[in-house]
Amino acid sequence: MKILALDTTSGACSVACYSNGQIAARFVQAERGHTQRLLPMVDEVLVDAGIALSDLDAVAVSRGPGSFTGLRIAISCAQGLAFSADLPVVPVSSLSALALGARRTHPEWGDAPIVSMLDARMGQVYWGVFTAQSPNDSLLPEAVKSPEQVVLSLQEATLSAPLYGAGPGWHYDRLRAVPIASIDQNVPIRAEDILQLAMPLWQAGAAITADALEPRYLRNQITWQKRQKIRSR
């Protein structure tokens, strides 16, 4: 299995390649310049892995939610690479990748549920809840909600304690009402974690064609679909 993974969901540019049991990766923390950085980073990890683009089995990419611009950059790049080498694409949730990165960073959290949260602006957050047993599937539907709505949803769900938190969306004071054992607001989304999530998805036949790949904005999903229809006319 040989898979290339890309991410520019938030304030970082990340690329990783899995080949022959080894992972080659590049990560740059930068708010801007993703467009200029991404393809050179792809070239570098492919060289490190000792393979060509045509040797890959698939391209994995964060499908969102996250920054509108960041998602478009990574998805456009993934589509371009996939089209040029006739490769399938494996879309991965940015929230699940965030949770997996937090679990890798904090082994002391064990198998407990992790509540991933990204700041969606306008007083809202993107969020989901992930376990070690099902890292690709949120226990509650991924959504964009206000902090108050998140607190209510978690109270109604009665998830098993302890809960842990990951991501910059946890900065809202109103979320202190959630009984969280520990929070890491600074854990980044990394392409290595997208790789780990993409591999079982690819093996399960969850890959799609490049032209079927679309970002998952959550908040503006309907608006995006309308824009796509208008552009296609």
Side-chain angles (χ1 to χ4, degrees), residues 8-9 36 38 44 58 75 84 96 102 107 109 123 157 192 198 200 219 225-226:
T8 54
T9 304
Q36 292 75 27
L38 196 55
E44 289 172 7
I75 285 178
S84 66
S96 62
W109 290 4
E192 297 99 303
R219 173 189 286 148
Q225 290 171 353
K226 288 181 178 178

Side-chain angles (χ1 to χ4, degrees), residues 122-207:
M122 295 188 287
Q124 293 181 314
V125 295
Y126 302 118
W127 73 295
V129 185
F130 301 89
T131 63
Q133 293 75 23
S134 299
N136 272 303
D137 302 307
S138 179
L139 294 180
L140 301 175
E142 294 185 14
V144 55
K145 292 185 177 181
S146 68
E148 294 87 353
Q149 290 172 319
V150 172
V151 172
L152 181 60
S153 294
L154 287 173
Q155 289 173 342
E156 292 177 344
T158 61
L159 299 173
S160 59
L163 293 177
Y164 293 91
W170 279 100
H171 72 88
Y172 288 99
D173 290 339
R174 289 161 288 176
L175 291 168
R176 292 179 181 176
V178 179
I180 291 289
S182 182
I183 299 172
D184 187 343
Q185 294 186 31
N186 299 315
V187 61
I189 297 173
R190 290 182 176 269
E192 297 99 303
D193 297 310
I194 292 174
L195 270 181
Q196 296 294 337
L197 293 165
M199 287 190 281
L201 292 175
W202 182 78
Q203 290 174 323

